[in-house]
Every structure is written in structure tokens, then in C-alpha cells.
């Protein structure tokens, strides 16, 4: 079975960031990062919304990506220096290829939030990115990129 379009975007983000950061996708809350794996970033997709563009044979997908930046030792709920460095490295990588090789229509940073005090995510800062891309209505496995290129 081919990959879903959202998976294609996740894999492209991982490839874009891997040289600079330790990045994981498909990591559930049941598999927290060990101390040996930190610092690291987990990319996940908490929500997706579709808008119908039937006249163009596509659906617009507006997806929220969370880049969970885990520092190596912080136990505070603030966005620590290591988190700040990771967030800046992610933003710099995205700026170098904002449309992920033509896959996306838009990719914009929306917010950053720190972890909750005494929560399981202490030492984590979450960078929220909104991504917009098109999916073929006739083939929902096909991501339709810039100039109609299929991925």
C-alpha cells in the first residue's frame, strides 16, 4: 500500500531536519524518549482539516504539525536554551525549503509552548507549524504539489 500524503510530508520533514537534529516520527506517547536519546525532536500530526476543491479535482489539506523539542536535562516548564536552539534549527531548515521540494502550498510557524509543570513532557517545547497541501480527490494517496506535480 502506498504512503498517505501526510506520511509523505512527515518523511520529507524528517529528511530535511535529520542532518541537524535527532528526529523521530511515528513515536507514540507510550514510547517516551530515553535519556540517551535526548536531545531530540518528535514530529507528529495532531489535526488535519479538509476543504473541498472539487472543481479542481483536489482537496486542500490544512494540517497542524507539532515538533516536540526535548532537551537533554531540563526539568523546568520554560522553553530552555536547548529547546530554543532546536526550534531555531527547525525554523532555519524549513526556511531553506519552505515548500518541501514543491510538495506544499504553504508552511508557516504558528506558536511555541513549553511543557507543563510536573507533566510527562517536562523539558519539552512544542513548535506548532501549519502546513497546506493538495490531495487528489480521485486518488487520496496522491499529494498534488506545486505546478500539479504528483508525489
Amino acid at each position: 500500500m502506498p504512503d498517505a500524503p501526510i506520511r509523505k510530508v512527515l518523511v520529507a520533514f524528517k529528511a530535511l531536519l535529520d542532518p541537524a537534529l535527532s528526529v523521530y516520527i511515528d513515536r507514540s506517547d507510550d514510547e517516551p524518549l530515553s535519556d540517551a536519546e535526548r536531545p531530540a525532536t518528535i514530529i507528529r500530526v495532531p489535526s488535519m482539516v479538509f476543504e473541498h476543491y472539487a472543481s479542481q479535482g483536489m482537496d486542500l489539506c490544512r494540517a497542524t504539525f507539532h515538533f516536540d523539542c526535548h532537551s537533554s536535562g531540563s526539568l523546568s516548564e520554560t522553553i530552555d536554551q536547548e529547546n530554543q536552539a532546536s526550534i531555531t534549527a527547525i525554523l532555519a531548515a524549513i526556511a531553506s525549503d519552505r515548500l518541501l521540494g514543491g510538495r506544499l502550498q504553504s508552511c508557516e510557524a504558528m506558536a511555541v509552548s513549553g511543557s507543563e509543570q510536573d507533566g510527562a513532557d517536562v523539558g519539552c517545547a512544542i513548535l506548532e507549524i501549519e502546513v497546506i497541501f493538495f490531495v487528489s480527490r480521485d486518488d487520496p494517496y496522491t499529494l498534488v504539489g506545486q505546478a500539479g506535480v504528483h508525489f
Side-chain angles (χ1 to χ4, degrees):
M1 178 181 295
D3 285 338
I6 197 70
R7 171 79 179 170
K8 293 173 185 178
V9 176
L10 274 167
V11 170
F13 271 133
K14 181 175 176 17
L16 182 66
L17 299 176
D18 254 352
L21 301 167
S22 180
V23 177
Y24 298 91
I25 56 177
D26 299 329
R27 191 80 179 240
S28 75
D29 290 341
D30 295 335
E31 301 178 79
L33 292 174
S34 69
D35 289 342
E37 293 174 305
R38 293 172 177 244
T41 298
I42 298 174
I43 307 172
R44 57 193 176 89
V45 182
S47 68
M48 294 170 47
V49 176
F50 292 94
E51 298 175 28
H52 302 290
Y53 280 57
S55 65
Q56 297 176 12
M58 297 182 282
D59 288 330
L60 179 139
C61 178
R62 190 178 306 272
T64 300
F65 282 74
H66 283 181
F67 292 74
D68 299 349
C69 301
H70 294 267
S71 62
S72 56
S74 175
L75 294 178
S76 70
E77 60 185 291
T78 63
I79 301 167
D80 66 26
Q81 186 173 0
E82 204 165 31
N83 293 143
Q84 294 167 21
S86 294
I87 290 164
T88 303
I90 292 166
L91 293 173
I94 289 171
S96 74
D97 187 4
R98 187 161 303 281
L99 303 180
L100 291 180
R103 290 170 181 82
L104 306 179
Q105 303 302 310
S106 174
C107 178
E108 299 298 332
M110 303 305 286
V112 175
S113 59
S115 55
E116 295 180 20
Q117 186 174 8
D118 299 327
D121 64 345
V122 170
C124 175
I126 300 168
L127 169 62
E128 184 176 305
I129 302 280
E130 182 183 72
V131 168
I132 297 173
F133 59 91
F134 285 105
V135 176
S136 170
R137 290 182 64 83
D138 294 332
D139 179 8
Y141 290 102
T142 300
L143 187 154
V144 182
Q146 297 286 315
V149 175
H150 288 193
F151 292 91

